Every structure is written in structure tokens, then in C-alpha cells.
Amino acid sequence: MGDKGYLFYRPWEKPAQYDKTFSYHTNPIDVDTDADGQSDKYDLIPLDYDMDGDGYINYWGLVDPNNYYYDSRIACVADSDMNLKRYDDGSYIQDDDPDNDGILPSDDPDDDNDGMSDTYEYKYGRYNGGWQDVWIYNGRYGIIYCGNPKGKEKGEPWPAFWNDGKQMYKVLVDNYKWLDENIYLLKYGAEAGYVDGVYVDGNVSLLYDSIGEIAEISTLNDLFFFIEISHGDENGFDSIYSYSWLDSKIDYAKGLGIQGNRKIIVLVNCRSGGGIDDLSGENRIVITSAKIDEESWMADDYPPYDRSRVEFLWNDENNGFVYALTYIYPISLYDAYKSGYDAAQDWPRTSTPQLYDPEDMAKSTYL
């Protein structure tokens, strides 16, 4: 994992050479001054409305009910913060450089310094039904779980679990410009280090620790993405973790749970539809590669089978969840799911992928 490459660092990760120092005037009797679900102690940006802590609001429209960028939560907590500078008429003075990177907003392609351009966040973000915000830092955190390729004692190995997981990692880093240190890539039997040119954080036994680390830093402004690719059944995956265990850890790990505007959970294993009941919830999208009573198949249609891809993720008909995310940029989560659905329906062995999305968020969710 390398340095963040952006302006903001968690307190315990501050580099030795660091030329940006802010004085955050947080509320001493409120553990979460900006009410974003994360305590000030661990919050990357403890004042969402004043990103660089200089006393000027990121953008005046955040607190103006008549403005396109109005955010009711921001307005509520900003109004209670007397440190913000105002004009004589009481209106807030807008920061001329909200991320303090020396580039004025008119020339800054990423005013909130979160790795997503203003153009991208405007087109696919909150103001068009998405989750990103142009003027507020949005973190993106993910776990990619590549399970035991053999699984059953007498089964043939499935290199697909690693192949598809590795490609999903490349999609996030190369296509969507996620920070690699915000992605936990877990591979069955692996130790921390580079495998096939990508950094693996370690064995799948680190799943709990990975969830806990994200819980300690995530906020209500962020996106959480989890995908597991393994053998499994209607109760869990990889003969290790149950869906109910995963649900409880996402909600309560470290006594905090993972915060997020959107939480995406993708289950890729046989009978994975059984996970929907356990993993459903507010702000969640759950995608499975099969129904509760169906197998999830390899992409090979006929022998000899090499099991190099899971059909839902990547097949030979230019379809698949990961295939679509790789070659169509940007693409909504719903359209990626539909590509996976079409792939899984490819004759002769088929499965019926499932989508849990009661709030109809997938069509406006972009990674």
C-alpha cells in the first residue's frame, strides 16, 4: 500500500514530510461534530462543510435551501458551528480554495480532493440520484475476497476465483481511480505481497480485520463495496463465513459498523441467493450470481474445462459483471448486473442472478 497521494491523511498515517497543517475547530463536547457517522478522532475530514479547517465553508450553496447543492445535514451542523466566518448579513463566506491545494475552483478538476473529478461527481453523483457529492469528500472502500479455489475435497480447482477477483481490483484502481490502500484484496492461502503484479493484503482469514479497519474510518458520505468469489451454499461462502456473520460485522464491527451512503454486496457462489435475506437493509444493494436453489457455473460451455472464469462475471459472449465494468466506462451498477445476468443465462448451463435493490439505487450508482 502506498501513500494516499491526496491532501488528507488519517492521524496515525501522517507522512514524515507533510506541508499541510490545519486547525480543526471541532466541538469538544460532541464526538462527531459534522454528524457524518464517524468520530472526530478518526474522521479523515472532521468538518465536512469546512474541508481544510480554515473557517470558510466549502461552498455557500451547501446551506442554502434554494440552491442546487443544498444538503440538509450539512446545513444543520454548519449552523451550530460558530467558527465559520460570515458576512455582516449572516451569510457564509465561501472558501476560495476549499481543499487548500493552491488551485482555485474555476481551475480545480477535483474541488473536494476525493479522487473523483467534479464533472464525474456532478454527472453521476447525488444531484442525479447517485451518492457522490461535488463539494464534500467521498471515500470509497472495498473488499475483494477470492476464496479457496478447490473448496470441496474432491473438486477440481477454480482459478476463476483469483482471476476474476484480480480483474475486479484492476477495474477499481485503473478504471475508477480508487486508492489502492482503500481496497483490501484477500486471496485464499496468500501472504501479504505481490501476486501477478497486484498487491494482496493477505489470506481470507483477514476478512474481519478488513471490515473493522473500514468501520473505523468510513463516514455516511462514503461508498462500501464487497465482492466474494468462492464456493458456497444458501447459508454462506467458502465453508468459513455465513451471510448472517457478514451482515453483523458490516453493521457492528469495532462497535461502529461500516458507514456509507451506499453499501454494495456481491455474492458469487452456488446458491448465493440465500444471502439476500440476511444482507438486506437500508442503503444496501445486494447482487447474487444465482438463486437460492441454483448452482453458479464456470464460463466453459464444453470440456475440457479450465474453470478460468465464473460465467456471471466474465464469459465468452462478451458479457459478465466484471467484463462490463472492465470494458464499459463508466457504467452503472445496474447495467453491470444486467450484463452478468445475460452471461449467467448463457446456454447450456444457466443460473438466474438476483438483485436486491428496493430503493432503486443501482441504476444511479457508479463506482
Side-chain angles (χ1 to χ4, degrees):
M1 293 184 179
D3 289 338
K4 283 189 176 300
Y6 292 96
L7 184 61
F8 305 105
Y9 291 81
R10 290 174 290 205
W12 58 89
E13 292 180 335
K14 184 177 177 181
Q17 300 287 323
Y18 194 65
D19 60 358
K20 301 288 186 182
T21 302
F22 304 133
S23 295
Y24 283 110
H25 301 284
T26 53
N27 188 337
I29 60 172
D30 189 343
V31 296
D32 180 14
T33 301
D34 57 8
D36 65 358
Q38 187 56 258
S39 69
D40 294 343
K41 180 178 180 181
Y42 297 108
D43 199 342
L44 196 64
I45 301 173
L47 299 177
D48 286 335
Y49 44 83
D50 177 17
M51 188 161 43
D52 59 5
D54 62 0
Y56 295 96
I57 197 165
N58 298 340
Y59 179 66
W60 64 271
L62 290 170
V63 295
D64 182 354
N66 299 314
N67 189 270
Y68 191 68
Y69 293 93
Y70 176 71
D71 185 305
S72 59
R73 178 183 62 84
I74 295 294
C76 179
V77 294
D79 281 341
S80 65
D81 188 341
M82 302 308 294
N83 293 306
L84 289 179
K85 297 178 175 63
R86 307 194 190 204
Y87 293 107
D88 291 340
D89 64 3
S91 60
Y92 290 100
I93 303 175
Q94 180 176 315
D95 198 336
D96 61 0
D97 184 10
D99 58 1
N100 200 29
D101 63 357
I103 306 173
L104 299 181
S106 58
D107 298 315
D108 194 338
D110 182 12
D111 279 304
D112 58 8
N113 228 28
D114 60 8
M116 291 175 281
S117 72
D118 295 347
T119 300
Y120 181 85
E121 291 188 292
Y122 174 80
K123 187 172 183 180
Y124 301 109
R126 184 169 65 87
Y127 311 108
N128 286 297
W131 66 277
Q132 303 96 326
D133 195 298
V134 174
W135 295 101
I136 302 171
Y137 184 95
N138 302 114
R140 296 177 290 180
Y141 303 97
I143 299 174
I144 301 172
Y145 180 109
C146 307
N148 185 347
K150 192 166 185 180
K152 301 175 183 178
E153 183 177 350
K154 296 181 180 180
E156 293 295 327
W158 283 54
F161 298 165
W162 169 242
N163 292 341
D164 290 329
K166 174 179 61 177
Q167 185 60 34
M168 187 69 234
Y169 172 87
K170 291 179 178 179
V171 163
L172 296 180
V173 173
D174 296 339
N175 288 10
Y176 288 88
K177 309 305 179 186
W178 284 42
L179 299 176
D180 61 354
E181 59 266 36
N182 288 348
I183 305 169
Y184 296 79
L185 180 57
L186 308 179
K187 182 179 186 295
Y188 183 86
E191 296 182 355
Y194 285 90
V195 179
D196 295 340
V198 298
Y199 186 85
V200 173
D201 291 275
N203 192 17
V204 295
S205 59
L206 295 176
L207 180 56
Y208 173 74
D209 291 340
S210 302
I211 293 173
E213 288 185 20
I214 294 174
E216 288 183 327
I217 58 176
S218 58
T219 78
L220 294 173
N221 303 318
D222 300 338
L223 176 78
F224 172 63
F225 177 84
F226 172 84
I227 183 170
E228 61 85 8
I229 311 168
S230 66
H231 293 294
D233 57 28
E234 64 273 20
N235 298 309
F237 55 96
D238 217 18
S239 301
I240 303 174
Y241 300 107
S242 70
Y243 303 128
S244 59
W245 177 91
L246 178 62
D247 175 69
S248 67
K249 297 305 175 281
I250 291 174
D251 278 344
Y252 302 111
K254 300 291 185 178
L256 301 166
I258 292 177
Q259 305 293 322
N261 190 304
R262 302 276 163 95
K263 300 175 189 177
I264 302 164
I265 301 166
V266 184
L267 306 175
V268 184
N269 58 265
C270 293
R271 300 177 176 84
S272 49
I276 290 178
D277 284 347
D278 284 321
L279 290 161
S280 59
E282 185 179 6
N283 292 335
R284 288 195 187 184
I285 300 169
V286 183
I287 293 172
T288 72
S289 61
K291 287 183 177 180
I292 191 172
D293 59 351
E294 291 180 337
E295 302 294 309
S296 186
W297 299 100
M298 67 191 94
D300 307 296
D301 289 331
Y302 303 101
Y305 304 119
D306 65 10
R307 298 174 174 82
S308 62
R309 296 286 188 181
V310 176
E311 187 145 51
F312 168 71
L313 298 177
W314 192 295
N315 77 351
D316 58 2
E317 302 292 332
N318 298 332
N319 278 317
F321 181 79
V322 173
Y323 181 94
L325 286 166
T326 299
Y327 290 110
I328 305 172
Y329 172 84
I331 185 173
S332 72
L333 191 69
Y334 178 79
D335 286 337
Y337 158 77
K338 285 292 294 178
S339 183
Y341 184 96
D342 291 343
Q345 288 281 293
D346 186 32
W347 188 86
R349 293 177 298 186
T350 65
S351 63
T352 312
Q354 302 291 290
L355 171 65
Y356 168 85
D357 183 23
E359 299 171 66
D360 197 26
M361 299 184 296
K363 292 177 181 177
S364 59
T365 297
Y366 289 77
L367 301 175

